[in-house]
Amino acid sequence: MKLVRPKKFLGQHFLKDLQVAQDIADTVDTCPDIPILEVGPGMGVLTQFLIPKGRPLKVVELDFESVAYLKENFVQLGDNIIEQDFLKMDLNSLFDGKPFVLTGNYPYNISSQIFFKMLEYKDLIPCCTGMIQKEVAERIAAKPGNKTYGILSVLIQAWYRVEYLFTVHEHVFNPPPKVKSAVIRMTRNETQDLGCNEKLFKQIVKTTFNQRRKTLRNSISPILDKNSPLSADPLFNKRPEQLSVEDFIELTNRVEKALADTPSKVKRE
């Protein structure tokens, strides 16, 4: 197979180190024997190492110049080159409703949105791998008590085991970007049900981390009034980064009960 090594990547930072591309492609091997969906293939630097794996492969690319390049250089993909916005796609119909691995050298400006969409389709995506900005990877993998622990950490770790695999340095790109990159892998855990109101869980996580320097008593006030008897609990002296996923689940159940018990004294969003 002739390896793709274009001189430029449409004005973007092009990954020129093919060994790194191979290493990223190999992260999908954790979930063998199921189809692969690559997001943002660009000029196929990663694609060329996914094709030999012999699995059904589809690539989703929005940039029309990249699509033209892919159609010319990866004719074997045929109709599996999809010119669409991944964030607007219905993923249920991609592989006839079958599970698939999500991978890619993700566009850094929308990587968080991609992972939120992954969560919407978590029952179809047992494994998600790929390269993102190092800071985002660190946030996703962070543990409670870490300053990078936040919304992405809690919402993803509720459903996935996260592995920070390796750092990718600037010099493997042309031109070198101003930030480091990292490769991560997220594999579905055994959780099938959080054991709480999932909508309220997400609301509490997002609301409290939006004011992460405040204690829960203050940061949760858009949902639960500070005059609620529940807010007197010592738990509410903590800040959101001190709570594990399990703590947030317990908090959600307690807040839901408080909202039901005293609907006239609490705030609802």
Side-chain angles (χ1 to χ4, degrees), residues 1-226:
M1 180 183 66
K2 183 179 179 180
L3 298 182
V4 177
R5 196 191 290 268
K7 294 181 180 179
K8 64 177 182 176
F9 178 43
L10 306 174
Q12 303 297 316
H13 300 284
F14 174 71
L15 177 62
K16 63 181 181 179
D17 189 321
L18 296 182
Q19 183 57 56
V20 173
Q22 176 76 73
D23 292 343
I24 296 171
D26 288 346
T27 62
V28 306
D29 294 343
T30 297
C31 285
D33 306 322
I34 63 174
I36 301 168
L37 175 66
E38 182 188 0
V39 176
M43 288 182 161
V45 176
L46 178 61
T47 313
Q48 64 190 322
F49 295 107
L50 294 172
I51 290 173
K53 294 186 180 295
R55 295 153 67 174
L57 171 66
K58 295 180 185 288
V59 300
V60 180
E61 177 58 65
L62 186 58
D63 182 85
F64 73 94
E65 289 183 279
S66 295
V67 170
Y69 183 93
L70 290 167
K71 287 182 176 179
E72 180 180 347
N73 290 275
F74 294 92
V75 292
Q76 67 269 50
L77 288 178
D79 294 336
N80 291 320
I81 301 171
I82 305 170
E83 187 175 1
Q84 286 189 44
D85 182 347
F86 171 76
L87 298 178
K88 297 178 180 178
M89 288 177 61
D90 178 2
L91 305 185
N92 287 301
S93 59
L94 270 180
F95 296 100
D96 298 322
K98 296 177 182 176
F100 58 89
V101 177
L102 183 65
T103 194
N105 294 336
Y106 301 111
Y108 289 2
N109 60 324
I110 61 166
S111 61
S112 294
Q113 297 174 62
I114 289 172
F115 299 139
F116 283 132
K117 188 174 182 75
M118 171 194 75
L119 289 172
E120 293 177 24
Y121 290 89
K122 58 186 178 293
D123 293 333
L124 270 183
I125 306 176
C127 185
C128 174
T129 76
M131 182 168 63
I132 56 177
Q133 188 172 336
K134 183 174 185 285
E135 291 180 358
V136 178
E138 289 173 339
R139 286 205 297 271
I140 292 173
K143 298 302 181 185
N146 192 303
K147 65 179 181 180
T148 58
Y149 184 73
I151 295 172
L152 272 178
S153 318
V154 176
L155 297 185
I156 290 178
Q157 291 177 33
W159 300 102
Y160 287 83
R161 292 187 298 275
V162 180
E163 300 170 84
Y164 182 108
L165 296 178
F166 56 90
T167 301
V168 181
H169 295 275
E170 306 94 318
H171 62 81
V172 303
F173 295 91
N174 185 25
K178 294 181 180 179
V179 297
K180 285 185 171 61
S181 304
V183 176
I184 63 169
R185 180 166 51 216
M186 296 167 281
T187 310
R188 276 287 273 123
N189 59 27
E190 292 74 27
T191 302
Q192 298 300 318
D193 188 303
L194 286 185
C196 68
N197 180 323
E198 189 175 339
K199 183 178 179 181
L200 182 59
F201 172 81
K202 289 189 284 189
Q203 184 184 359
I204 288 174
V205 171
K206 291 179 179 180
T207 300
T208 55
F209 274 109
N210 282 337
Q211 300 186 71
R212 62 181 303 141
R213 294 185 178 181
K214 295 183 178 181
T215 63
L216 290 173
R217 184 173 294 107
N218 293 302
S219 62
I220 206 173
S221 60
I223 301 172
L224 183 73
D225 193 281
K226 287 188 284 186

Side-chain angles (χ1 to χ4, degrees), residues 221-226 259 262-269:
S221 60
I223 301 172
L224 183 73
D225 193 281
K226 287 188 284 186
L259 291 173
T262 56
S264 62
K265 295 182 180 180
V266 295
K267 299 177 182 179
R268 292 180 183 270
E269 264 195 340

